[in-house]
Structure formats: structure tokens, C-alpha cells
Amino acid sequence: MDFAAAFTRDPQAAPYPVRCDATAAAVFAVLATVLALGVDDGRRPDALGWALLLAAHVPLAWRRKAPMPVLLAVVACVAPYHALDYMHLAPIPASMTALYTVASTGRPVRTVIVGLSVTSVTLTIQLLVNPHEIVELLRVSGWVIAMLVFGTSIRLYRQLVAGVVERAEREAERKVSEERLRIARDLHDLLAHSITLIGVQTSVAAHVLVADPGRLDREALVQALDGIAETCREARTEVRTTLDVLRAAPEGPLPDLASLPDLVRSSGAELSVRTAAAKIPAAVGAAAYRIVQESLTNAVRHGGPGADVRVDVGLDKEVLTVRVTNGGAARGGTSGSGYGILGMRERARSVGGTLVAGPRDGGGFEVEAALPLSVREVTV
């Protein structure tokens, strides 16, 4: 039997409570019989005494279902039993069990009221039976109070454990939600970027085919198709890497600043990285990569393949700065779902940074992020 689980779990939620309590009541009844026959602590029970003693154990089978009615039923049998001066020690286990159940399942006010009532009844009976036994009076009162304190302590301990478990579950749910959001951002950045590039390159290939069929530029067509194939391979690799990380068995590192040249080259943008030999935390590098990736996706989507895009990455003291500038006018407007910029801001915030995105003076669009190298946990 797992005693730790028995003390920490909710008594009402225990499996088969009536059957378990009936078994315990039978064991207590056997123990009471042995005590009544073998201990000289009053006169030996007669037929009435045995009836009262055994009847006091019957309600214990429902002690967790109805603690207060069970206590009242036990007291109703035990009080006349003690008043008739039968073996006083025999019903003690049943009485203490009923008291413990009330204290461990009820509110403090109810426990105090029950304690005062039971103590008053016990002392009254004791004064009637043995008025000169002061030590016995103190002993009986001490047992009652001790059992009530023990039951209250168990109840408070269960509440403490339940609170810890609830907080742990809430924290786990929060982490699951954050992980889902991170996965959604990763897949959005990856797929949006790759699909946008494929769409642009497909448009170029289609234009080459239909512009002047008589003078087909085979080199431009091959270059566009090769670009589509390369983009598909890169997307497949990044998807596999992301899924491997989720399975806690990564085959390769997540994208970082070292992966920027390949990313920027596929978009036809200019890249400038000025980080020298500074050590960039993995989380900051991944956030910077995804911000650049989403910015390039938006630039290609709205500006087309000939957009004038520049990516600048540098260090300003202990802050990594990322600036993506699209100097051309946006073709097709800037309509979209709005999740791209929101996702970039969340990525910057996930490492304690900030991001600003908006139109530039004189035309174009600019995204600027400041990512501190000292990553701190941000509570959502």
C-alpha cells in the first residue's frame, strides 16, 4: 500500500472507499474484541456491552462518505458504553478514527466545534463514572485533541500538495502553449518564406516561357527551376530539423547567424554581418534568423524578385541589432494576415528584445530588431 498517496489524495476520491473502510471497520472490531477480553480497564461487556461495542464499528464503513453522521452514530454507541463502565479501551480505535475523519475532511470551524462537543461529552461521562480520576480526564482529553490536530494537519498537507500539483499543471500547460506557439511561428516562417520564393521563381519561369517562345531563354528557365528545387530542398531540411528537435533527437543545429548567407542569397538581397568573434546565444541567433527570414518573405511577396533589400546585422554593446530594409516600392500593396509582423515581435520578445516595423521615409519598408545577448525568461 502506498501510504504517501493515502495521505495526499482526496479521501473522497479514493478507489472503493466503502469496501476499504468496511474492511478497516472489521479489523477494528476484532481489535476491540481482543482488548475487551484481555485488558482490565473496566467491567467485561455483557450482551448489551457487546452489542454497543460492535455496533460502534458498523458506521465506520461509510466514514468517508458521511463523516459527521458516522461520528454521531459512533458517539451514540460509545457514550452509553462508557457510561456503563465497560472496558473503556476497547472502542477507542473506532472513536479516534471517526474523529480523525471529521478533522481531515472538514473546515477548521467545524473541527473546533466537534472537538469541543466530543471533549465535553467525554469529560461528562468520565466525571460520572470516575469522578476522582483527574489523570484519566487529562489523558482522554489529550487523545481527543491530539487526534483532531493530527486530522487537521493531514487536511492542510493535502491542500498544500494539491496546490503544488495545480501550480505544476498550470506551468506545464503554459509551457505546452508556448511550445505550440513557437512551433507555429517556426512553421509559419519556414513555409511562408519557401512558398513565397517558389511562387516568385515559378512566375519567372512562366514569364520566360510565354514572353517570346521563339527566343526562349533556356538559361534563365533552368536557373528559375533550379532555384525552385533548391528552395524545396532547404525547406525539407528545415522541416526535418524542426521535427527532430520536437522529438528531442536533433540531427543538426537550428538555424542561426551562420545560416544567414544561404538564406539571403536565395532571396537576392545584400547581407552585412558585423559580429566579429562575439558569442551569440543559440536562442538569440535563432530569433534573428527567423526575423530576417520573415522580413525577406514579406519583401519578396510585396516587392517581387527585383526588390532592393538589404540585411544588416551588428552588435551594439551587448545587443544584437537586426535591420532589414526594402528600398523599393511595394507592388501589390501590403495586405496580408498581419501574423508575420506579430510573429516577429513575439520572437524578439521571447529573448527579451524589441522589434519595430513600418514604412520608411521616401518609400519602402524597414524592420529593426534589438536582441540582448543576455537572454532572460519572459512571462507571457
Side-chain angles (χ1 to χ4, degrees), residues 69-373:
V70 167
L71 176 62
L72 294 176
V74 171
V75 171
C77 296
V78 170
Y81 178 90
H82 286 299
L84 295 173
D85 198 24
Y86 292 119
M87 295 291 186
H88 295 289
L89 188 60
I92 292 299
S95 304
M96 295 298 105
T97 301
L99 279 173
Y100 161 78
T101 304
V102 170
S104 63
T105 58
R107 296 180 177 275
V109 175
R110 190 181 77 173
T111 301
V112 172
I113 294 175
V114 169
L116 293 176
S117 301
V118 173
T119 303
S120 300
V121 172
T122 304
L123 292 180
T124 300
I125 295 174
Q126 190 68 27
L127 287 174
L128 293 175
V129 176
N130 295 313
H132 303 295
E133 294 290 340
I134 303 299
V135 176
E136 185 66 16
L137 291 176
L138 296 176
R139 184 177 68 85
V140 173
S141 301
W143 273 108
V144 171
I145 295 173
M147 191 55 59
L148 292 175
V149 170
F150 177 65
T152 302
S153 301
I154 294 298
R155 180 179 59 81
L156 295 176
Y157 176 66
R158 284 172 179 159
Q159 290 179 348
L160 176 62
V161 172
V164 172
V165 171
E166 183 180 0
R167 286 194 296 272
E169 290 176 349
R170 285 201 304 266
E171 179 67 14
E173 291 176 357
R174 184 184 68 83
K175 289 183 177 180
V176 168
S177 299
E178 291 179 352
E179 185 65 12
R180 286 176 178 170
L181 180 60
R182 186 188 68 79
I183 294 170
R185 288 198 300 256
D186 281 344
L187 293 178
H188 172 272
D189 295 345
L190 169 62
L191 297 180
H193 177 74
S194 300
I195 292 172
T196 299
L197 289 180
I198 291 173
V200 171
Q201 292 161 346
T202 304
S203 298
V204 172
H207 177 74
V208 171
L209 285 173
V210 302
D212 190 354
R215 292 184 300 174
L216 180 63
D217 189 346
R218 296 180 180 276
E219 184 178 350
L221 180 60
V222 170
Q223 185 177 359
L225 294 177
D226 286 342
I228 293 174
E230 180 64 23
T231 301
C232 291
R233 284 193 294 270
E234 291 178 357
R236 183 181 60 187
T237 301
E238 288 202 36
V239 168
R240 183 185 297 117
T241 301
T242 301
L243 296 179
D244 286 339
V245 170
L246 296 179
R247 289 193 293 263
E251 295 179 358
L254 287 174
D256 54 12
L257 296 184
S259 306
L260 281 180
D262 293 335
L263 174 67
V264 173
R265 188 183 308 114
S266 64
S267 302
E270 295 183 13
L271 173 65
S272 173
V273 179
R274 303 180 307 279
T275 58
K279 184 177 181 181
I280 308 299
V284 175
Y289 180 92
R290 293 305 187 190
I291 290 171
V292 172
Q293 185 180 52
E294 178 62 24
S295 300
L296 293 176
T297 300
N298 293 336
V300 173
R301 179 187 296 129
H302 300 304
D308 178 19
V309 183
R310 180 175 179 81
V311 179
D312 293 299
V313 179
L315 280 177
D316 183 7
K317 297 182 180 179
E318 292 297 315
V319 176
L320 181 70
T321 60
V322 179
R323 181 181 292 104
V324 181
T325 306
N326 179 6
R331 296 190 316 177
T334 58
S335 61
S337 65
Y339 291 116
I341 294 178
L342 178 61
M344 288 190 291
R345 286 200 178 102
E346 289 176 349
R347 284 198 174 277
R349 187 172 181 270
S350 68
V351 294
T354 58
L355 182 139
V356 178
R360 298 173 64 242
D361 293 337
F365 200 85
E366 185 174 77
V367 175
E368 185 174 1
L371 311 176
L373 298 187

